[in-house]
Structure formats: C-alpha cells, structure tokens
Amino acid sequence: MMREKVLKFLQQEIDAQHIPGAVIHVSHQGEVLMQDAIGSRSLYPGRNPMSIDTVFDIASLTKVVATLPAVLRLLEKGELHLDDPVHYFISDFKGEGKEGITIKHLLTHTSGLPSHRPYHLERLNASQIIERVCVEEISAPIEERIIYSDLNFILLYHIIEQLTNKPFQEFVSEEIFKPLGMKETMFLPHFSKERFASTEYFDHLQDYKCGMVHDENAESMGGVSGHAGLFSTIDDLAKYCLMIEREGTNEFSTFLSKVTLQLTRRNFTPYDPHEFRGLGWILKGPKQSSCGDLFSTNSYGHTGFTGTSIWFDPDEELHIILLTNRVHLGRKSPIIRLRSRLHNIIRASI
C-alpha cells in the first residue's frame, strides 16, 4: 500500500512539472520496503526514462557522504579534533576575528562565514578560491547563529588534503567508498552519458549538464570540492545509509565508532531558535523540516540543491533516500514542500 501511495504522489509531482523523475529507497528496521525509479532522467533535448542505476549529481549530499566521514576518520586517527582552529592548518586564514573559527564551527555552519560567493564568475581555480575564502570577512560572530555556507566545506576539503597529502577525491575513495563497496560513487565520473540524470541548461555550454557537476563553484574548482561535486546511485547511497544506521558497521567491518556517530547527531546549536545543527547533519528542529511533520524529534538528514535528500528517523530505524534532478526544470521547483509531503506519506504508512 505504501509503495502505491508513494509512486502515485511522485507521478503527480512529475505531471505538475515539479520534477522530471525520481529514484527512491525506503528502509525500515533493516528491511527495504521499496526501491523504485519513476519518470525521466532527462526531458530535453529528448525524453529518456529514469532507471534504478541512474547516476545523480548529489550536490550538497557531498557534505555528509564524503566530507563529513573523511573528517570523522581523521578525528578517530588523532589527526585533528573539533576545537582545532582552522588557521592551525591554513595559516592564511586569519584576521577579522577568524582566529577563533574551528573545525567544529565549519561542520555546524556556525563560523559566521557568508553563505555563498560566486567565485566562478571570476573563473577562479581551486587554489584561488581557497585564497579568497581565507580573506573573506565573517558575516556574524562565531556561534551566534547558523549561516549555511559552502565556504565552510571548501575549507574542510582543503584541510583534508593538507592532512592526508592526497587529492581529496583519492582519499575519500580509498577511505570511504571502497571500504563500503560504493563502486559507483565518485567525483569526475566516467560513465556513459546514458547513465546520468541531466541537470540544468547552461548558456556557456549551450546544453544541459549531464555528468558534469551542476554547482558552478565546484565546476570552477575542477569538479572536486568538499561542498559539492559527488555523483552516486541509489544502491551506493543505501550502503552508506545502512552503515550510518548500524552505528558505523557494515557486513564487513567497523567503519566508524558508535560514539563518533552519536556525536554527529548532538545539537550543537541550542542557541538558535529556528534551526538545529549536528556535525554536518541537519537535525529536525522547530521550523519546517524537509523530513515532514511525522518524523521523530531525533531525526536527522541533509539535502542537495539538485533535488536529492537523505533522512533518518532512528527511533523507527527508518531511512529514506530521494534522488531527483529537479533543476533540469529550473531552480524554482517546490522541492522543500515535495520532500515534506513525501516523508509524511511514508511515515504515516509504516
């Protein structure tokens, strides 16, 4: 019954031209209740059907699928701790009160750094963008309020490279994706064009992006960053989510410790009356949440601008992965409302 309700709802959203298609995975108490593809992976210049193995640009899910576990691996190895100041790793990151910004502040979006800067308009490369982030003025005092900022995770990407002496994409592949059996999760993907969900039309390409990162700053950085750029499939993300739900273990080994993952779900922003943040994760808070109305107060997750999301309700041992390419139809798709209603349908049906 739940599957029929969900597919009917998604078809209505497709018919309303809110999304071209979707792939969805629902797991409850260790049992996969549904994993389905519906609609189209592209509408322009031609219609092509969505499939379970479609590869998506997961946008800001990069933050919690690549960057967060990379930081946690380094934390468990003793390479860093949350209260390490950023300037300890990046000496140019100083002035304007930035000396007090720590790893924790980057992960919780409480650094005070501005939400966004269009560095791509100046055609800056990765090194130049990091240099510019280092001289940015903070927009608010540290730990005063949440400012969701890609700049925080651009800095984390650079810190990870500094600590590991490896390219970010190589480190996360070796330390995260390969151990978890995520064979189709990567930056700069090399699949055939037919595998990808197309994203937005860009004038400079005179075409829709397909297999190329949607985020303009990540594109300017060569397709690899800590804030965006990762591509994945529903099967691979299900493996990652199962590890998170099992408190750091998979069928092969312990990937992260239980105590580390419990820390990521702690509310680090009790002073903000509107939004709660863990390490990397969005926590269900008092304002409208994309996990809907019926998930428990212990729920946590993240979203991606292209139309992706992951949400966990640990009280129910429930996790839901939604992959869409809503930006194929432009940036005004009502994706937040779609996610909330979808999660309500699923939770009410369990």
Side-chain angles (χ1 to χ4, degrees), residues 138-189:
I138 58 175
S139 301
I142 301 166
E143 283 193 337
E144 183 176 278
R145 61 189 178 96
I146 297 165
I147 301 175
Y148 179 76
S149 174
D150 287 345
L151 279 60
N152 292 317
F153 278 72
I154 290 172
L155 290 173
L156 286 169
Y157 142 87
H158 185 56
I159 289 168
I160 291 164
E161 289 199 330
Q162 296 292 101
L163 280 173
T164 64
N165 200 30
K166 291 181 179 180
F168 181 69
Q169 66 270 31
E170 181 180 325
F171 179 75
V172 295
S173 176
E174 291 176 357
E175 289 285 325
I176 302 164
F177 308 142
K178 287 181 181 178
L180 293 177
M182 299 169 67
K183 297 178 181 179
E184 296 191 313
T185 302
M186 63 192 72
F187 294 91
L188 306 173

Side-chain angles (χ1 to χ4, degrees), residues 236-253:
D236 271 14
L237 291 174
K239 293 174 184 177
Y240 180 75
C241 289
L242 194 59
M243 179 276 294
I244 295 292
E245 191 169 75
R246 289 177 174 174
E247 299 287 18
T249 63
N250 64 10
E251 57 185 314
F252 306 111
S253 62

Side-chain angles (χ1 to χ4, degrees), residues 60-109:
S60 281
L61 289 187
T62 302
K63 295 179 173 76
V64 292
V65 177
T67 311
L68 174 62
V71 171
L72 298 179
R73 295 282 275 183
L74 294 172
L75 182 149
E76 292 194 345
K77 291 179 179 182
E79 297 289 341
L80 55 75
H81 66 93
L82 295 180
D83 290 323
D84 273 334
V86 173
H87 72 80
Y88 180 83
F89 306 102
I90 308 173
S91 58
D92 290 338
F93 189 77
K94 57 187 176 182
E96 306 294 336
K98 294 198 291 284
E99 290 85 355
I101 296 174
T102 66
I103 299 293
K104 177 182 71 178
H105 298 134
L106 300 182
L107 286 168
T108 57
H109 295 286

Side-chain angles (χ1 to χ4, degrees), residues 23 99 114 122 125 130 149 183 187 192 221 279 330 345:
V23 182
E99 290 85 355
E122 301 174 63
N125 61 28
I130 290 162
S149 174
K183 297 178 181 179
F187 294 91
S192 64
M221 294 173 71
L279 299 178
I345 290 170

Side-chain angles (χ1 to χ4, degrees), residues 100-144:
I101 296 174
T102 66
I103 299 293
K104 177 182 71 178
H105 298 134
L106 300 182
L107 286 168
T108 57
H109 295 286
T110 58
S111 67
L113 285 169
S115 60
H116 178 73
R117 288 286 187 262
Y119 299 121
H120 63 96
L121 295 178
E122 301 174 63
R123 299 183 180 179
L124 304 180
N125 61 28
S127 297
Q128 292 169 327
I129 286 175
I130 290 162
E131 289 173 4
R132 290 289 291 275
V133 175
C134 285
V135 298
E136 289 284 356
E137 295 184 8
I138 58 175
S139 301
I142 301 166
E143 283 193 337
E144 183 176 278

